[in-house]
Amino acid sequence: MNQPAADAVAEPSLLEALAARMQGSGDQPLYLRLATALRGLIEAGDLRGGDAMPSERDLVRATNFSRVTVRKAVDELCREGLVARRHGAGSFVTRQIDQPLSVLVGFSEDMKRRGAKVSSRVLQKQICAPDPSDMLKLGLSPADQVFRLARVRLSDGEPLAIENAIVPAYAIDPTTLGESLYEALRASGHMPARALQRLRAAVANADEARLLGVALGSPILHIERRAFLANGRPIEITTSSYRGDRYDFIAELTLQP
């Protein structure tokens, strides 16, 4: 489906799938309805990394929406990092992973939105006593326990990140944990509502290079996230090492009045 021309005609089956997803999409503004439907095609794998998006002309014909509405929907997906525009070539589902810094989303959910298959290699999974740093950052006492989870995260079999997560033991049942830590926290009623992230550039050490399958000294993005419940209580600390050749983190800035 990798069509290079901007005016390439989208497959009829793709537009039919899009029309089906537009049915009963509620009272959202038109551009958000279309953005949601297109996002669904990416999540379902109907559109994958590198695939050309349907042209504006095709989307107008399929939805009867105006070009302005269609363009605004695609802009929304670009803002989320799911789609990128190429001058003179149209819009494409991104291969390089642009992760918006303004959106709190876990690795599993992010990859599924992009139509990728998520898997993990577990390095550590245990309930244990917190160390002093854990107690300080999570507001715990020495009598409390934490759940530690260290994993290599893979997308379509390709290692992209190493994650080391710590959450209070009361917030999760490790026996029911699947690929998504956030899904487990949501199920227990402890889903984070906001987070603070600190990013710094680095180069891969020997362990990171081995686990991520990159050369020693390759670019790495180190990220520390501290997440909070709606009531302000800290609930998660995650330190991650992301492949710098596959990840860009983007932020939208506005001028302060």
Side-chain angles (χ1 to χ4, degrees):
M1 195 180 294
N2 294 293
Q3 300 171 341
D7 59 352
V9 177
E11 296 179 6
S13 59
L14 183 63
L15 296 179
E16 290 170 2
L18 175 65
R21 288 181 177 275
M22 293 290 294
Q23 298 299 319
S25 50
D27 298 327
Q28 289 181 310
L30 295 181
Y31 82 94
L32 286 180
R33 289 174 55 190
L34 179 54
T36 299
L38 290 169
R39 189 185 302 111
L41 294 179
I42 296 172
E43 291 172 351
D46 295 313
L47 285 167
R48 299 184 65 83
D51 282 348
M53 295 288 288
S55 68
E56 285 187 7
R57 183 182 305 170
D58 283 340
L59 291 175
V60 168
R61 288 174 179 168
T63 62
N64 290 321
F65 293 167
S66 70
R67 279 186 175 266
V68 171
T69 297
V70 166
R71 193 169 297 123
K72 194 172 180 181
V74 176
D75 285 344
E76 179 69 14
L77 298 181
C78 290
R79 186 190 68 80
E80 295 177 10
L82 293 176
V83 172
R85 286 193 171 93
R86 300 179 191 169
H87 182 68
S91 298
F92 293 78
V93 181
T94 54
R95 290 186 186 274
Q96 182 76 6
I97 300 167
D98 292 338
Q99 175 64 58
L101 290 173
S102 59
V103 179
L104 177 58
V105 62
F107 182 91
S108 296
E109 182 181 351
D110 186 31
M111 291 301 107
K112 288 177 181 177
R113 289 191 323 176
R114 302 172 192 274
K117 182 180 179 181
V118 179
S119 58
S120 303
R121 291 203 299 266
V122 176
L123 306 175
Q124 181 187 27
K125 183 180 179 181
Q126 68 175 140
I127 291 179
C128 56
D131 63 29
S133 176
D134 301 336
M135 289 187 285
L136 178 64
K137 293 179 179 178
L138 291 173
L140 302 176
S141 73
D144 291 322
Q145 290 188 309
V146 294
F147 174 61
R148 295 182 184 276
L149 179 64
R151 299 180 288 179
V152 179
R153 310 307 306 274
L154 299 93
S155 172
D156 289 336
E158 179 185 24
L160 294 185
I162 305 166
E163 288 185 348
N164 294 274
I166 306 169
V167 299
Y170 67 77
I172 196 168
D173 179 1
T175 63
T176 63
L177 178 67
E179 287 295 340
S180 174
L181 176 63
Y182 275 10
E183 282 298 321
L185 291 174
R186 182 181 287 110
S188 70
H190 295 92
M191 180 63 182
R194 66 180 184 90
L196 298 175
Q197 288 196 149
R198 183 185 299 273
L199 289 78
R200 63 181 177 87
V203 295
N205 59 31
D207 286 339
E208 291 169 333
R210 175 177 55 84
L211 292 172
L212 293 174
V214 298
L216 183 68
S218 296
I220 293 290
L221 287 169
H222 283 168
I223 302 172
E224 179 177 338
R225 179 173 67 237
R226 187 178 178 211
F228 303 84
L229 299 174
N231 63 8
R233 183 169 186 171
I235 194 63
E236 173 213 10
I237 307 166
T238 292
T239 55
S240 304
S241 300
Y242 283 82
R243 284 177 52 175
D245 64 331
R246 291 300 311 278
Y247 262 88
D248 287 332
F249 285 82
I250 59 176
E252 181 178 356
L253 306 179
T254 57
L255 185 65
Q256 186 174 10

